[in-house]
């Protein structure tokens, strides 16, 4: 009998614990050319704001030795067009849909979540209080336990959907912030978002990103992400979606052992669009070979002697 990969993520029933990270995946239209989206545990939609945002000026991506530096700036079409144009398409895949929500004010977060709460077919909200690439909102809310707690409290008032909060690693104590959002009413946390970084063109002597500083993702941040997942898992009782540099089955297993209930894959999708499906199959094979009957049997099971 095949191992059971199904999980309950803050009330969201998933057939497996593998999803895409919100950033590079858009609303799935492009990736549907490469993979069967119905095979994913859930689809996480790129950040949606109240009104359309054009994003930051180019250039806004550059490749580093071990990851990608980006400063997209939450480019999206706004919540109303998302509901009208993308949501009907995503519903066809019969997969839980988690919408990543961003805002420049608490009122904007509340307005978007209130709108989504009235729409059929959304399984949960991932509250993005950790984007490093916008001047207003984003990581400003996620950089202190007080402001993180406040935005979660206000959003909690208008939605009964599972509320997952995406945290920034660009803080001194992510455990303290994770605890604060749990107390404020979050049903889960996602960690980590990107780390702040910078690249300089040695021919022009200018920063490679128009915004000068961007968010670093990919293999370089994986050890930091695993450390933070493990630390936070010791301190909270709500589930964790682990992310940050996952590019193989081995990477994914490390996150589960550290305490993640589910995982999300971002940058690796840009290199190998099949990576999510390959990791789902690889997890099944790993559990079978090790004699485990279900994925939950390895969650948080790192041995610390």
């Amino acid at each position: 009998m095949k191992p059971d990969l199904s999980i309950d993520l803050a009330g969201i029933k998933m057939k497996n614990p593998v999803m895409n990270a919100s950033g590079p995946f858009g609303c799935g239209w492009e990736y549907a050319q490469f993979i069967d989206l119905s095979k994913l545990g859930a689809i996480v939609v790129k950040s949606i704001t109240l009104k359309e945002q054009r994003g930051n000026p180019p250039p806004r991506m550059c490749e580093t030795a071990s990851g990608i530096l980006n400063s997209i700036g939450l480019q999206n079409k706004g919540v109303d067009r998302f509901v009208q144009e993308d949501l009907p398409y995503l519903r066809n895949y019969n997969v839980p849909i988690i919408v990543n929500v961003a805002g420049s004010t608490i009122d904007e977060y509340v307005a978007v979540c209130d709108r989504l709460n009235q729409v059929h077919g959304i399984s949960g909200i991932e509250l993005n209080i950790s984007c490093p690439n916008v001047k207003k909102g984003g990581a400003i809310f996620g950089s202190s336990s007080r402001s993180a707690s406040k935005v979660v409290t206000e959003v909690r008032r208008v939605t009964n959907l599972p509320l997952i909060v995406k945290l920034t690693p660009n803080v001194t104590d992510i455990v303290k912030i994770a605890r604060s959002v749990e107390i404020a009413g979050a049903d889960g946390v996602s960690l980590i978002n990107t780390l702040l970084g910078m690249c300089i063109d040695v021919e022009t002597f200018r920063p490679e990103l128009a915004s000068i500083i961007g968010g670093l993702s990919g293999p370089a941040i994986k050890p930091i992400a695993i450390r933070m997942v493990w630390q936070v898992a010791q301190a909270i009782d709500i589930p964790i979606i682990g992310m940050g540099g996952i590019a193989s089955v081995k990477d994914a297993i490390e996150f589960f052992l550290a305490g993640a209930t589910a995982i999300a894959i971002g940058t690796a999708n840009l290199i190998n669009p099949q990576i999510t499906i390959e990791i789902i199959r690889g997890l099944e094979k790993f559990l079978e070979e090790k004699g485990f009957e279900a994925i939950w049997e390895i969650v948080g099971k790192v041995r610390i002697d």
Side-chain angles (χ1 to χ4, degrees), residues 218-288:
I221 73 169
K222 194 191 84 176
I224 300 167
I226 291 174
R227 184 263 294 178
M228 288 186 165
V229 167
W230 178 72
Q231 288 180 319
V232 170
Q234 313 306 304
I236 64 173
D237 294 320
I238 53 178
I240 298 170
I241 303 174
M243 64 190 75
I246 298 174
S248 68
V249 177
K250 177 182 174 297
D251 294 339
I253 293 166
E254 286 187 71
F255 276 84
F256 288 114
L257 293 174
T261 296
I263 58 157
I265 300 165
T267 302
N269 280 304
L270 302 176
I271 302 164
N272 175 11
Q274 300 277 344
I275 189 64
T276 47
I277 305 303
E278 291 175 9
I279 288 179
I280 292 168
R281 292 173 183 153
L283 285 174
E284 201 170 73
K285 185 180 177 186
F286 174 83
L287 294 175
E288 204 164 21

Side-chain angles (χ1 to χ4, degrees), residues 9-10 162-166 181 185-190 236 238-241:
L9 180 73
L163 188 59
I164 300 159
V165 184
K166 191 167 185 176
V181 300
D187 300 301
V189 291
S190 295
I236 64 173
I238 53 178
I240 298 170
I241 303 174

Side-chain angles (χ1 to χ4, degrees), residues 24 42 58 76 93 99 161 170 258 260 277:
N76 76 97
Y93 290 97
V99 181
L161 289 168
N170 301 298
I277 305 303

Side-chain angles (χ1 to χ4, degrees), residues 200-207:
I200 299 173
D201 187 326
V202 298
E203 298 299 325
T204 64
F205 289 23
R206 295 181 181 279

Side-chain angles (χ1 to χ4, degrees), residues 144-146 173-181 183 232 235:
S144 81
S145 55
R146 185 175 180 181
D173 189 353
I174 197 171
V175 172
K176 184 177 179 182
I177 295 172
R179 282 189 185 130
S180 75
V181 300
I183 293 169
V232 170

Side-chain angles (χ1 to χ4, degrees), residues 198-216:
M198 180 177 177
C199 283
I200 299 173
D201 187 326
V202 298
E203 298 299 325
T204 64
F205 289 23
R206 295 181 181 279
E208 292 201 27
L209 296 179
S211 59
I212 302 175
I213 292 173
L216 179 65

Side-chain angles (χ1 to χ4, degrees), residues 16-37:
N16 67 68
V18 179
M19 61 191 87
N20 63 285
S22 65
F25 208 80
C27 288
W29 293 86
E30 293 83 5
Y31 280 91
Q33 302 172 51
F34 301 100
I35 62 170
D36 180 354
L37 299 183

